[in-house]
Amino acid sequence: METQDCKVRILSLNLFLRPPFVKTNHSDYKDYRTKYFCEHIMQHFDVICLQEVFGAFNNRKQRIISEAYKKGFLHHAKSPSPSFFWGIPVIDGGLVILSRFKILDSKFIPFSHGTMPDALSYKGALYSKLLVHGEVIHLVTTHTQASYLCGNSSIYRSIRAHQLSTIQKFIKELGNNQMVLLVGDLNVEQECHGLFEEARDILKEKYNYSPATYGRVLNGKPLETVLTCPDSTTSQSALDYILSFNSSSKFEFDLDLTRVEPFYVRDRPFTQISDHAGVVTTLKLKT
């Protein structure tokens, strides 16, 4: 399927596909949700950035890449498995970029360390250089250190700050002549703003505030309880972002087509495609 009117429909989503035997409540319904995502969601976008699609001890990541190829996503990038020499991490970073547009280059930028369960994952940022309607877009997706109810919250914040600083350094090295997008589960609400003062927060521009993407509520009641940790169902956390660098790009954002998208599901044992809502935007060439 080709894009229309030089528009680029972009989705970033923490798909919550952890390795086998890891679950939060009764079940994570990983295989059911993978199938639903491939059959009902991916075809509506042109570029998809996924987090928490771990390839260790299962084939769900490869299934998504294969099904995406059938739907016209002829290009992809993914975070690598950890090297034997890397040390503690035993699973990959769970990052995937699917693109209908040609990927000219890609790179994985590893983080130096994490803590708690995050230490088992080879976390970092995944970069792809896209050729879109004759123009270059630099795309970075990531999933930074999570916070946990146990442990010292200042340690989590410190690790995230270091990880975000690593991304900031990489983005600066890309230059400022072409659009750079940073999307993903940053696991922060205000911490990144000081680091990325030069960035446009596209969701905040749309809503005039940072909208919750995890533990969302309506009229005081949680909107998702099947997949979300019971202690977090009403946390109202703004964790997922679309940040843009370089206002001189030939692309502009269509804020009417920018939103938090929970992907509600009917007639399934799960009510939402993930414990996170996705974040969606559309780019269009300036006229």
Side-chain angles (χ1 to χ4, degrees):
M1 180 169 60
E2 296 181 354
T3 57
Q4 298 179 353
D5 301 325
C6 294
K7 292 185 177 180
V8 187
R9 302 162 298 175
I10 300 173
L11 164 67
S12 176
L13 173 65
N14 180 328
L15 197 47
F16 195 52
L17 296 178
R18 298 176 295 178
F21 310 114
V22 180
K23 65 179 183 178
T24 298
N25 298 314
H26 171 69
S27 173
D28 282 356
Y29 301 102
K30 299 181 185 77
D31 289 329
Y32 291 110
R33 291 189 294 109
T34 299
K35 186 173 185 292
Y36 189 94
F37 176 78
C38 292
E39 292 180 351
H40 299 285
I41 295 176
M42 65 166 56
Q43 63 265 32
H44 299 295
F45 300 94
D46 303 305
V47 177
I48 299 175
C49 297
L50 300 175
Q51 304 89 44
E52 283 203 20
V53 180
F54 295 105
F57 316 115
N58 72 94
N59 68 350
R60 284 184 286 270
K61 177 185 287 187
Q62 191 54 49
R63 281 164 52 195
I64 289 173
I65 292 171
S66 297
E67 289 300 316
Y69 188 88
K70 296 176 185 177
K71 290 179 169 61
F73 293 86
L74 303 184
H75 311 276
H76 77 274
K78 60 183 179 179
S79 53
S81 299
S83 165
F84 173 79
F85 300 101
W86 184 255
I88 295 176
V90 295
I91 61 175
D92 61 280
L95 303 176
V96 179
I97 294 175
L98 307 170
S99 177
R100 298 185 189 276
F101 303 100
K102 187 174 182 179
I103 296 179
L104 300 174
D105 189 21
S106 63
K107 182 179 181 179
F108 180 69
I109 303 95
F111 297 146
S112 59
H113 65 285
T115 190
M116 299 293 285
D118 290 43
L120 300 177
S121 175
Y122 187 32
K123 283 200 164 188
L126 180 63
Y127 162 73
S128 286
K129 181 180 180 181
L130 307 180
L131 182 62
V132 181
H133 301 306
E135 300 294 328
V136 167
I137 294 177
H138 300 280
L139 178 63
V140 181
T141 189
T142 192
H143 181 199
T144 64
Q145 171 70 48
S147 290
Y148 297 92
L149 296 176
C150 57
N152 189 331
S153 60
S154 65
I155 293 177
Y156 304 138
R157 289 195 299 270
S158 176
I159 291 174
R160 273 195 299 271
H162 187 270
Q163 293 172 345
L164 291 168
S165 180
T166 298
I167 296 172
Q168 180 192 43
K169 180 180 178 181
F170 176 77
I171 288 176
K172 286 185 176 180
E173 291 172 352
L174 293 174
N176 56 10
N177 296 322
Q178 296 157 330
M179 174 173 280
V180 180
L181 294 179
L182 171 60
V183 304
D185 180 0
L186 302 187
N187 269 319
V188 300
E189 297 203 44
Q190 300 297 327
E191 297 165 51
C192 70
H193 295 181
L195 280 170
F196 298 116
E197 291 179 352
E198 71 278 23
R200 292 176 59 192
D201 186 333
I202 304 304
L203 289 171
K204 193 171 184 178
E205 287 187 20
K206 167 63 182 283
Y207 293 98
N208 293 317
Y209 64 92
S210 295
T213 57
Y214 178 78
R216 299 165 65 246
V217 302
L218 179 64
N219 298 325
K221 295 183 179 180
L223 290 170
E224 203 294 309
T225 60
V226 177
L227 304 172
T228 307
C229 174
D231 293 326
S232 302
T233 55
T234 59
S235 63
Q236 280 283 86
S237 301
L239 304 182
D240 301 85
Y241 288 81
I242 302 170
L243 301 180
S244 169
F245 304 77
N246 185 17
S247 59
S248 64
S249 168
K250 293 183 179 180
F251 288 96
E252 60 184 353
F253 290 88
D254 189 334
L255 293 184
D256 291 334
L257 298 177
T258 298
R259 66 189 184 276
V260 171
E261 176 53 73
F263 295 113
Y264 292 123
V265 177
R266 294 183 179 181
D267 303 321
R268 297 292 195 283
F270 49 95
T271 58
Q272 197 170 294
I273 193 63
S274 172
D275 60 340
H276 282 243
V279 291
V280 171
T281 194
T282 294
L283 290 175
K284 56 185 180 181
L285 283 172
K286 295 178 181 177
T287 56

